[in-house]
Amino acid sequence: MRFINGKAGRLTAAAAGAAIAAIALAACSSSDADPATSASGGSDDTMEAASYGDFTVQLSWIKNEEFSGEFFADSMGYFTEAGFDAVELVPGPSTGAAELLSGTADIALSDAVSIGSAVAAEEAPLKIIGTTYQKNPFTVLSLADGGNIATAQDMVGKKIGVQDSNTALFMALLAANGLTEDDVEIVPVQYDPAPLTNGEVDGFIAYLTNESITVEAAGYDTVNLPFADNGLPFVAETFTVTDQAIAENRDALKAFLYAEILGWTDAVNDPEEGARLAYEEYGADLELNPENSIAGAIAQAEDLVVSDETAANGLFTISDALQASTLESLAGAGIELEAADLFDLSLLAEVYEEHPELVAYAG
């Protein structure tokens, strides 16, 4: 897997700022640009950068290395240079659907099953406009000398610790493998894997880049049952918005995606710095373990964020094949949707069409 390293492979902060300024200038003439920031009317026909005010992002999880791209975009000034007065990163855990529908968030980082469930069951007017993770990071984590869950059938008769926000995901995993909730004992848990390590549960819903790393680092021999390899290869950490936002705030969303591409490219190129931003700055109050944060940041950069697809077409893109596998995953869980019901990738396509250099930059 190829990463861009060194000065030749990375835009400097100044160059990135200039690039963002270009997209902000282009946005000034759009329908949702503030008239006060449009053409100045002067004889030189100059234009000021667009201003999109404040923006709220609902994160799916706590402020750890999982959001190092967002931390880069904020700390490097990419959001500000894109035209936002401030971008608030609201910690989860949350699927983001409720916040989007209530209007308390402008964009949410979520996953295809959670959003697909809301769209199918509630006709929620939500769309995925891009994804950070090309691969589903969820896993059933177990201990080798405990539950030792290496296959889906190994879950039968076992106690599985499932967080409330991950219930739909786990039910989808069961359905994708021909199982039902009657085949397992679902134990409500929070996000601390202590119930696994103290023997209260045999398996625990976790992230491959988070709890799996922390439990192994604590000296346990772990076993993973990755969702992606067991019937649910869906996209995760998806950028999700309302249909109304796409219709009314298109330029703001494009500027946001542009800044995020810059931030996540920095995170891929320098995962250790992304981890530092988490444990020393944005998540300083969480007392994150630096070694675990660095391991998680490296793992997500190498295994989840960058792929052959992103190398060819840019970060956050979702290929037709990945859309199809995501929809197949949902169908296996009883969630029947068409691609147009769940995805609107036109904004991201426009960003790359207007700035093709970002493909190589982010590749």
Side-chain angles (χ1 to χ4, degrees):
M1 193 163 292
R2 179 177 61 85
F3 298 142
I4 303 174
N5 295 297
K7 294 181 180 179
R10 298 182 60 179
L11 294 179
T12 64
I20 288 183
I23 194 172
L25 286 170
C28 291
S29 60
S30 70
S31 60
D32 68 349
D34 185 339
T37 64
S38 297
S40 64
S43 59
D44 59 356
D45 202 29
T46 58
M47 301 176 70
E48 298 176 8
S51 176
Y52 301 115
D54 296 340
F55 210 66
T56 300
V57 181
Q58 178 61 57
L59 305 179
S60 62
W61 184 231
I62 59 175
K63 290 184 178 180
N64 69 354
E65 65 282 350
E66 203 169 303
F67 307 105
S68 53
E70 283 71 40
F71 301 156
F72 267 114
D74 184 57
S75 64
M76 295 295 289
Y78 301 150
F79 287 139
T80 301
E81 291 161 352
F84 298 100
D85 293 338
V87 172
E88 181 182 8
L89 304 174
V90 180
S94 174
T95 66
E99 290 84 354
L100 288 170
L101 295 173
S102 68
T104 58
D106 297 293
I107 195 161
L109 291 170
S110 188
D111 65 85
V113 169
S114 296
I115 299 304
S117 296
V119 172
E122 306 166 25
E123 297 185 352
L126 303 174
K127 292 290 188 301
I128 292 171
I129 62 173
T131 192
T132 310
Y133 288 176
Q134 294 285 305
K135 183 178 179 180
N136 175 3
F138 284 94
T139 183
V140 178
L141 176 65
S142 62
L143 304 182
D145 60 358
N148 194 28
I149 300 171
T151 71
Q153 288 300 315
D154 290 339
M155 289 191 289
V156 175
K158 302 288 177 61
K159 296 180 179 179
I160 310 297
V162 183
Q163 304 82 5
D164 182 64
S165 66
N166 291 330
T167 300
L169 295 171
F170 183 61
M171 298 303 290
L173 178 69
L174 293 176
N177 289 278
L179 302 175
T180 72
E181 57 187 308
D182 294 331
D183 293 312
V184 300
E185 181 178 347
I186 297 176
V187 179
V189 296
Q190 297 302 313
Y191 299 88
D192 185 337
L196 176 68
T197 57
N198 66 23
E200 293 178 36
V201 297
D202 301 301
F204 184 88
I205 304 305
Y207 252 34
L208 290 165
T209 55
N210 192 338
E211 295 91 350
S212 291
I213 289 174
T214 61
V215 172
E216 184 175 8
Y220 295 91
D221 187 4
T222 60
V223 178
N224 281 288
L225 182 73
F227 284 31
D229 300 331
N230 289 274
L232 293 181
F234 59 77
V235 292
E237 296 302 351
T238 56
F239 295 104
T240 304
V241 300
T242 63
D243 291 345
Q244 182 179 2
I246 294 174
E248 299 179 1
N249 301 309
R250 192 175 189 87
D251 287 330
L253 293 176
K254 286 169 61 177
F256 177 81
L257 288 171
Y258 193 102
E260 284 273 341
I261 291 169
L262 297 178
W264 270 102
T265 300
D266 286 351
V268 168
N269 285 326
D270 195 352
E272 291 194 13
E273 174 61 12
R276 188 200 66 78
L277 287 171
Y279 62 75
E280 283 192 0
E281 298 186 27
Y282 291 85
D285 60 328
L286 301 175
E287 298 183 352
L288 300 171
N289 180 292
E291 291 185 1
N292 291 345
S293 288
I294 291 171
I298 292 173
Q300 73 179 0
E302 294 180 349
D303 301 330
L304 302 177
V305 178
V306 177
S307 67
D308 291 343
E309 169 68 19
T310 64
N313 298 308
L315 292 180
F316 309 156
T317 52
I318 307 175
S319 68
D320 290 344
L322 188 52
Q323 289 180 60
S325 65
T326 295
L327 293 171
E328 185 177 352
S329 295
L330 299 186
I335 304 170
E336 297 288 345
L337 293 171
E338 300 293 331
D341 299 326
L342 188 60
F343 300 104
D344 186 340
L345 304 177
S346 62
L347 294 90
L348 188 62
E350 288 174 16
V351 171
Y352 281 118
E353 286 171 4
E354 295 162 10
H355 302 273
E357 74 280 0
L358 289 182
V359 175
Y361 172 48

